[in-house]
């Protein structure tokens, strides 16, 4: 944030100035910091504040749009929201603009004591302010999921309290467990999900109890122990049974803290209670209790719900426990749950020493407690909570691995088939989560965990390291953000990473799998780069973003090796020159016209094959000449050997004749007889020279003829 607000200010939509040098710590939310805000285009009756959100978590875009500028006396008014700065800025942050509360916060935290609120104030001030808020939220189909004492502010008119914001974190992520129903409290804070309106009424009941006491209820345990107690005694008994309360308040709390969502009080019941039409509230139906407890971990369980909860806390030992004969005997003999025991036997394969796997334990917990969250290897998440938990777990490799296995194993589908009393609003999540297993099974770019992130959450921005800080939510903003990111320095890696490919595939519905699958060509780097640039050209055409010269310059570097595959050197040089011109235009499609010019490639390939054939013929001719030259050398060598043999024989004959035999007369009678030899004539020295022969043969070394002398 320091880099984004170098001058001490951030702007939102050119209108609101968030003064980062003027923090408002009194109005901070658990996951967002508050700052003073100046409205440069309006005159607001109340001062404003801005909440800068943590971009690691997806925001509730739909809820923010529904409640924008919704004015109710009991609710902080959300004026605007969006990313700070302008498109292309290097660092942007999600910001919420609220009218600043006119009074102080009721309490800085749930553990801090405060002045108790009288019962009369609950009836005449608190509930009359809260009911219109809850009614409006229900009409707009938005859950608040942040009703707690620390999120209440004193009103300026001293007529009650004002409910604070609910969009700075995932739903119920900042809620203490005692303020949440059992099913929500069992889930990890980031995986509780949007829930339903009955969850807000439960939180209202627990908050009213805190207001009456001036503190958090003192229970016999905290955290998991309190949740365990709720499952076995019921929420009202676990939270309020030790306090002395009036009968009307007991009636109110019993209705709001009912553990059965179908029996929990709603708007109509609260209106009747305020009107004085009190009715006796029956105790919530408690789960069946066993005759004796079974020890799981260090806790003693007497209900199947608490047993499921304790088994899910330590899944490795729980997987062994659920297969043990002692657990089967407890279900059949102490809990008298023969149907549950038979179902578990079908899931884990009967009792035995072999440990059950994580999926089998997850199914076992669903049978023991059908409305509980999905439990898998220590993770507990509601189906609608996966929308928030999957993106938020990107930075944790261990958490990401577990969630990926959960989706790939189709555990959510099992939850939907087991939970017969599921909420109607979860039908959309069921079909969506069924598709996630298919996406997880494909590991190439554009699929896998990255694709699941963007399919589950339409609010999460692109998490590619290149542009993550620029908060790109729509695919139309992707390429301009990349253009700005590479303006100073061109990266060395390929243009599209796994996040950008998955982001395009999820957000741009015109992009089908035929665009995505070529991105996984691991063995062919040229084909992979061409597929990436082709996809980016398609997105640029859909977005109409204008020229992107910096991005094209980056793409040119990766496309040059592709065009270097042209064999014709002159044509290659021309193509590279045309590629450079196309890159300067900033239109990726012009570059792809050159890269995918099939006619030019076919012509180059045809010329290359013709050159190969011509080279082959020339090579054969050279080899023929080399063979003929070798034969001539061989012939000369053999002929020379034969002539040398004849000549050496005559030289020896001359050497044994006496000198007196060579008189002048005899010398004068020497007559040369020249007989030319025919081509191919073989000379052989006689084995024995006749003694009477006075003829001599001499071969001329110049002419190759033989002379006979007598």
């Amino acid at each position: 944030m320091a880099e984004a607000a170098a001058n001490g200010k951030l702007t939102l939509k050119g209108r609101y100035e968030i003064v980062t040098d003027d923090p408002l710590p009194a109005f901070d939310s658990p996951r967002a910091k508050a700052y003073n805000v100046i409205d440069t285009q309006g005159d607001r009756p109340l001062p404003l504040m801005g909440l800068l959100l943590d971009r690691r978590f997806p925001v509730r875009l739909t809820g923010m749009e529904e409640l924008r500028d919704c004015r109710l006396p009991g609710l902080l008014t959300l004026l605007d929201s969006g990313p700070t700065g302008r498109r292309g800025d290097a660092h942007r942050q999600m910001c919420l603009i609220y009218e600043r509360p006119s009074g102080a916060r009721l309490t800085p935290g749930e553990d801090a004591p405060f002045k108790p609120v009288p019962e009369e104030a609950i009836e005449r001030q608190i509930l009359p302010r809260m009911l219109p808020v809850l009614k409006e939220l229900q009409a707009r189909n938005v859950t608040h999921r942040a009703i707690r004492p620390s999120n209440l502010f004193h009103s300026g008119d001293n007529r009650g309290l004002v409910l604070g914001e609910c969009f700075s974190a995932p739903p119920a992520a900042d809620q203490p467990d005692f303020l949440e129903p059992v099913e929500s409290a069992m889930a990890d804070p980031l995986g509780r999900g949007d829930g339903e309106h009955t969850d807000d009424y439960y939180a209202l009941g627990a908050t009213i109890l805190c207001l009456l006491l001036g503190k958090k209820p003192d229970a016999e345990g905290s955290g998991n122990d309190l949740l365990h107690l709720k499952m076995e005694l019921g929420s009202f008994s676990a939270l309020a049974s030790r306090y002395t309360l009036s009968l009307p308040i007991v009636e109110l709390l019993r209705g709001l803290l009912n553990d059965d969502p179908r029996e929990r009080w709603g708007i109509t019941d609260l209106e009747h209670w305020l009107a004085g039409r009190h009715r006796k509230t029956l105790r919530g139906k408690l789960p069946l209790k066993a005759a004796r407890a079974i020890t799981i971990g260090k806790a003693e369980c007497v209900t199947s719900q608490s047993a499921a909860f304790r088994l899910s806390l330590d899944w490795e030992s729980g997987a062994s426990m659920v297969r043990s004969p002692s657990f089967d005997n407890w279900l059949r003999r102490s809990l008298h749950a023969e149907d549950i025991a038979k179902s578990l036997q079908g899931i884990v394969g009967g009792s035995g020493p072999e440990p059950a796997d994580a999926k089998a334990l997850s199914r076992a917990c669903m049978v023991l407690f059908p409305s509980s969250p999905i439990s898998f290897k220590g993770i507990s998440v509601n189906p609608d909570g996966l929308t928030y938990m999957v993106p938020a777990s990107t930075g944790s490799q261990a958490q990401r691995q577990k969630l990926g296995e959960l989706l790939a194993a189709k555990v959510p589908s099992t939850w939907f088939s087991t939970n017969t009393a599921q909420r109607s609003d979860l039908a959309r999540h069921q079909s969506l989560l069924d598709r996630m297993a298919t996406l997880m099974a494909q590991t190439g770019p554009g699929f896998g965990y990255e694709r699941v992130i963007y399919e589950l959450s339409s609010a999460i921005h692109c998490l590619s390291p290149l542009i993550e800080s620029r908060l790109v939510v729509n695919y139309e903003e992707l390429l301009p953000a990349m253009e700005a990111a590479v303006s100073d320095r061109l990266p060395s890696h390929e243009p599209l990473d796994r996040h950008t490919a998955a982001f395009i595939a999820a957000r741009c519905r015109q992009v089908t799998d035929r665009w995505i699958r070529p991105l996984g060509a691991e063995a062919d780097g040229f084909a992979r780069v061409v597929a990436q640039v082709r996809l980016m050209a398609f997105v640029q055409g859909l977005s109409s973003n204008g020229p992107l010269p910096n991005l094209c310059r980056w793409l040119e570097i990766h496309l040059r090796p592709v065009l270097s595959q042209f064999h014709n050197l002159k044509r290659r040089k021309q193509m590279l020159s045309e590629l450079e011109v196309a890159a300067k235009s900033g239109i990726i499609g012009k570059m792809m016209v050159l890269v995918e010019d099939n006619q030019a490639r076919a012509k180059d390939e045809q010329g290359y094959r013709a050159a190969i054939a011509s080279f082959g013929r020339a090579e054969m001719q050279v080899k023929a000449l080399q063979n003929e030259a070798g034969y001539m050398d061989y012939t000369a060598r053999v002929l020379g050997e034969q002539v040398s043999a004849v000549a050496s024989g005559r030289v020896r004959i001359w050497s044994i004749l006496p000198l007196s035999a060579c008189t002048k007369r005899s010398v004068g009678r020497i007559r040369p007889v020249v007989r030319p030899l025919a081509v191919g004539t073989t000379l052989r020295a006689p084995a024995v020279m006749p003694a009477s022969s006075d003829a001599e043969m001499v071969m001329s070394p110049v002419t190759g003829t033989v002379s006979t002398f007598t």
Side-chain angles (χ1 to χ4, degrees), residues 194-235:
D194 292 304
E196 52 187 343
H197 299 289
T198 56
D199 297 333
D200 284 337
Y201 296 121
Y202 184 100
L204 176 63
T207 300
I208 289 175
L209 178 60
C210 293
L211 295 179
L212 293 170
L213 301 177
K215 62 178 182 177
K216 180 178 72 172
D218 295 326
E220 294 183 356
S222 59
N224 294 334
D225 293 335
L226 176 59
L227 188 53
H228 182 102
L229 200 62
K230 281 185 178 183
M231 295 177 187
E232 300 197 337
L233 300 180
S235 292

Side-chain angles (χ1 to χ4, degrees), residues 37 123 158 261 286 367 376 396 406 456 467 493 505 558 584 681:
V37 170
E123 184 175 352
N158 293 323
L286 296 177
V367 171
F376 185 83
S396 173
L406 182 151
L456 288 179
I467 57 173
H493 56 78
H558 291 279
K584 291 180 180 178
T681 302

Side-chain angles (χ1 to χ4, degrees), residues 139 240 333 374 551 560 614 659:
R333 299 177 182 179
I374 300 170
L551 182 59
R560 278 185 170 273
S614 177
L659 185 59

Side-chain angles (χ1 to χ4, degrees), residues 448-465:
Y449 195 87
E450 292 82 5
R451 176 71 174 274
V452 171
I453 290 175
Y454 304 111
E455 290 285 354
L456 288 179
S457 175
S458 61
I460 193 66
H461 60 282
C462 183
L463 300 177
S464 170

Side-chain angles (χ1 to χ4, degrees), residues 32-221:
K33 298 295 182 181
Y35 298 90
N36 184 31
V37 170
I38 300 173
D39 185 1
T40 61
Q41 299 179 13
D43 184 16
R44 297 288 181 181
L46 291 176
L48 308 182
M49 70 174 184
L51 293 174
L52 294 180
L53 309 187
D54 189 336
R55 60 170 171 255
R56 292 176 299 174
F57 308 115
V59 297
R60 301 170 65 187
L61 286 179
T62 304
M64 287 191 294
E65 292 298 326
E66 288 291 339
L67 290 186
R68 189 187 306 276
D69 218 20
C70 175
R71 296 185 176 276
L72 293 170
L75 181 66
L76 282 185
T77 302
L78 175 64
L79 299 176
D80 213 336
S81 63
T84 61
R86 296 173 297 179
R87 189 176 73 172
D89 287 352
H91 298 276
R92 307 176 76 189
Q93 289 185 272
M94 192 68 184
C95 183
L96 308 178
I97 305 297
Y98 279 95
E99 288 185 351
R100 193 186 306 176
S102 55
R105 194 184 294 271
L106 177 65
T107 174
E110 274 59 53
D111 294 328
F114 53 92
K115 184 179 179 180
V117 177
E119 291 186 5
E120 184 180 357
I122 298 293
E123 184 175 352
R124 296 185 178 182
Q125 295 180 354
I126 306 301
L127 282 180
R129 282 227 173 183
M130 292 296 106
L131 282 187
V133 173
L134 295 175
K135 186 181 294 186
E136 186 66 22
L137 290 174
Q138 190 165 343
R140 296 174 183 245
N141 197 27
V142 177
T143 55
H144 193 278
R145 306 295 274 124
I147 301 176
R148 57 181 182 270
S150 62
N151 199 26
L152 294 173
F153 298 88
H154 292 286
S155 62
D157 54 11
N158 293 323
R159 294 182 180 178
L161 298 174
V162 177
L163 185 58
E165 61 84 23
C166 60
F167 298 123
S168 64
D174 299 325
Q175 292 286 88
D177 290 347
F178 77 93
L179 290 169
E180 288 294 297
V182 170
E183 295 84 359
S184 178
M186 285 181 64
D188 297 336
L190 294 177
R192 289 172 173 170
D194 292 304
E196 52 187 343
H197 299 289
T198 56
D199 297 333
D200 284 337
Y201 296 121
Y202 184 100
L204 176 63
T207 300
I208 289 175
L209 178 60
C210 293
L211 295 179
L212 293 170
L213 301 177
K215 62 178 182 177
K216 180 178 72 172
D218 295 326
E220 294 183 356

Side-chain angles (χ1 to χ4, degrees), residues 33 87 102 153 170 244 280 344 382 393 404 423 512 517-518 579 662 684 688:
K33 298 295 182 181
R87 189 176 73 172
S102 55
F153 298 88
T244 302
K280 186 177 180 180
L344 288 184
N382 284 312
S393 302
R423 309 193 316 255
T512 59
R517 295 194 186 283
L579 179 66
C662 299
R684 297 184 180 274
V688 179

